[in-house]
Amino acid sequence: MQPLTIEEIVSKKPHLEDIFKLYGKVQEFSGLTLESVNGNGVSEGAVAYPPQLIDAVFERFSSIFGIPEENLTPLKEAMQLGQIDFTRLPLKETPAFSLPYHEDELSPLLFLLSRPFFLALGKGSRDKQQAWEKGRCPVCSAQPALSFLGWDSRRYLACSFCGTTGPAPRIGCPVCLNRDADTLTIMTIEGDEDFRIETCSACLSYSKTARAGVLEAIPPDYADLMSLPLDIIAQGRGYRRNAPNPLGMIRIA
């Protein structure tokens, strides 16, 4: 199956044009930064970018996303001092010390800045499809961002931090592993058979699931953004998303 381009997706779903324009910037930043990271390597035990990359990373981030460099200075200085540990982000742990950003700004900012680091970290694992255990990514320990069904009728989970995908139990909540059918619900949107919402009243989480074959035409990032209306529906009913989408968003207005 020929993969869909962003232009083809937007032509079918014009309401997502601005979302995919922003995602284009995410791709540009991640691609350029990933080249630098791969050239310098992610050493074993690394928790952030090596010191020699920090200036270039922040300069690139400022330029691509149109954020004044002075607005990023406190975060840049914290990283230069070794106070930022990217590996804690998938565990929903932001820096313990004070930074002059609101939490709703800091979390997506850190996600976007760190994503090339995680993509480099997961590079060697993406083709191995390691099993997800206890609802966590086998590479970075993030909770799943998206699930999809394979032609083998197995369920697979995708990580929005490092891009790792892998098999998981078909039945039950992929977050808390609850298997009580009375607490699990499936919701769909009429006219969009490619995706569905699976909710769990035990942990009040939801996951979005793509039908078999969808991820042959688009990568998980595209699928997550294409199904943004499902996030709005699920969150409107009181369920929460447990991992950021490719734009670093957890709460979808």
Side-chain angles (χ1 to χ4, degrees), residues 30-155:
S30 294
L32 292 172
T33 305
L34 193 55
E35 289 180 10
S36 301
V37 173
N38 286 336
N40 287 267
V42 175
S43 60
E44 185 176 353
V47 298
Y49 297 120
Q52 66 269 26
L53 290 184
I54 293 176
D55 283 340
V57 166
F58 276 85
E59 181 179 345
R60 184 179 300 126
F61 191 87
S62 171
S63 174
I64 291 174
F65 289 98
I67 301 175
E69 286 193 56
E70 57 268 24
N71 291 4
L72 300 171
T73 297
L75 188 54
K76 177 181 174 181
E77 291 177 345
M79 197 170 297
Q80 289 171 328
L81 292 171
Q83 297 173 325
I84 302 295
D85 184 343
F86 285 157
T87 66
R88 309 308 298 173
L89 300 179
L91 302 176
K92 302 179 185 177
E93 296 179 14
T94 53
F97 56 91
S98 178
L99 282 168
Y101 307 98
H102 190 276
E103 182 182 352
D104 289 342
E105 297 176 329
L106 182 59
S107 293
L109 186 60
L110 285 169
F111 174 84
L112 295 176
L113 276 167
S114 67
R115 203 167 192 226
F117 171 88
F118 282 108
L119 291 175
L121 193 67
K123 183 179 180 181
S125 302
R126 280 194 283 276
D127 296 329
K128 298 178 183 178
Q129 290 201 329
Q130 302 176 57
W132 288 55
E133 298 180 357
K134 299 181 180 180
R136 294 282 181 177
C137 172
V139 173
C140 71
S141 298
Q143 292 177 306
L146 185 77
S147 69
F148 59 97
L149 303 178
W151 290 117
D152 56 2
S153 297
R154 299 180 74 186
R155 181 191 216 172

Side-chain angles (χ1 to χ4, degrees), residues 5 13 32 51 63 84 104 142 144 156 161 169 174 179 187 209 213 230 233 251:
T5 66
K13 298 178 180 288
L32 292 172
S63 174
I84 302 295
D104 289 342
Y156 295 83
F161 280 88
R179 301 187 66 170
M187 295 186 286
T209 300
L230 294 183
I233 291 172
R251 290 188 289 272

